Amino acid sequence: MSRLLLVLALAVAPAGAMSATIYKCVGADGKTVFSDKQCGSQAEAIEYSHPETWKERISRERAESSARLDELRQQEIVQGREQDARISKMKEQHRALCESRIANEGLAIGMTKSQLYDSEIWGYPDDISKTTTANAVKEYFVYKCDGYKSVRLFVTNGRLSSIHN
């Protein structure tokens, strides 16, 4: 009878309050008895925790979801800052390259097209126009810098022949 009452009490009690120690004992008649009080020296303590209700599960999952979303937002902020730093560094490198190009660094009339391509400052142009005549192959290299600024190089028969800023 007391076992039935204990089971009913556990089933009816509010879920949030259901975390307790239950004792399992053997009664004088040899039957197993469960009690909320220690019932002898041979009593076995059993920790009981009521299973999570659907409301508790939803609440826990929402909290976990919210925590994960906060974590992802923080990662996104960090990644955004890292990307901004990379972009800023690239812009600074591009600006320095443009300044070197506008100052015509590393150029010499007569240098070959291969020397231009191999140069760290010049490399391959942003645009090339080519004219072939009976006497010459003329190429017009355009290196764009900061929007409206550009450096134009004329290459005749594979050699730098003219520089225009």
Side-chain angles (χ1 to χ4, degrees):
M1 178 75 164
S2 64
R3 184 178 193 181
L4 179 60
L5 287 174
L6 179 63
V7 171
L8 284 174
L10 291 175
V12 176
M18 289 312 303
S19 181
T21 302
I22 300 171
Y23 297 94
K24 179 180 174 183
C25 307
V26 178
D29 58 358
K31 292 185 179 179
T32 302
V33 177
F34 292 91
S35 174
D36 61 344
K37 296 182 179 87
Q38 196 165 359
C39 46
S41 61
Q42 300 296 320
E44 178 185 343
I46 301 170
E47 287 298 320
Y48 177 79
S49 201
H50 192 279
E52 184 177 54
T53 67
W54 65 272
K55 287 181 182 180
E56 292 169 332
R57 189 186 88 239
I58 288 172
S59 178
R60 178 184 49 79
E61 287 175 353
R62 281 184 181 163
E64 289 171 356
S65 235
S66 179
R68 179 66 179 138
L69 186 58
D70 288 345
E71 182 182 324
L72 290 173
R73 284 182 181 142
Q74 287 302 317
Q75 287 176 357
E76 194 174 82
I77 289 168
V78 168
Q79 289 171 351
R81 287 179 184 154
E82 290 171 352
Q83 184 176 7
D84 289 347
R86 284 191 302 272
I87 289 170
S88 179
K89 183 178 178 182
M90 288 173 60
K91 284 181 179 179
E92 179 58 33
Q93 289 171 341
H94 180 71
R95 188 189 61 73
L97 182 65
C98 284
E99 286 177 3
S100 296
R101 285 179 175 174
I102 290 169
N104 297 327
E105 289 181 19
L107 288 181
I109 299 295
M111 68 188 299
T112 66
K113 186 165 62 169
S114 295
Q115 289 172 320
L116 283 171
Y117 289 161
D118 293 341
S119 168
E120 286 185 23
I121 295 174
W122 296 97
Y124 287 90
D126 297 307
D127 192 22
I128 299 175
S129 295
K130 184 176 182 178
T131 302
T132 304
T133 65
N135 298 327
V137 175
K138 297 180 181 181
E139 295 174 284
Y140 179 66
F141 289 8
V142 179
Y143 294 88
K144 297 177 184 174
C145 286
D146 300 330
Y148 68 92
K149 293 180 185 177
S150 64
V151 177
R152 294 160 310 283
L153 305 178
F154 289 92
V155 177
T156 306
N157 294 330
R159 296 210 173 257
L160 181 62
S161 58
S162 179
I163 302 168
H164 297 262
N165 285 3

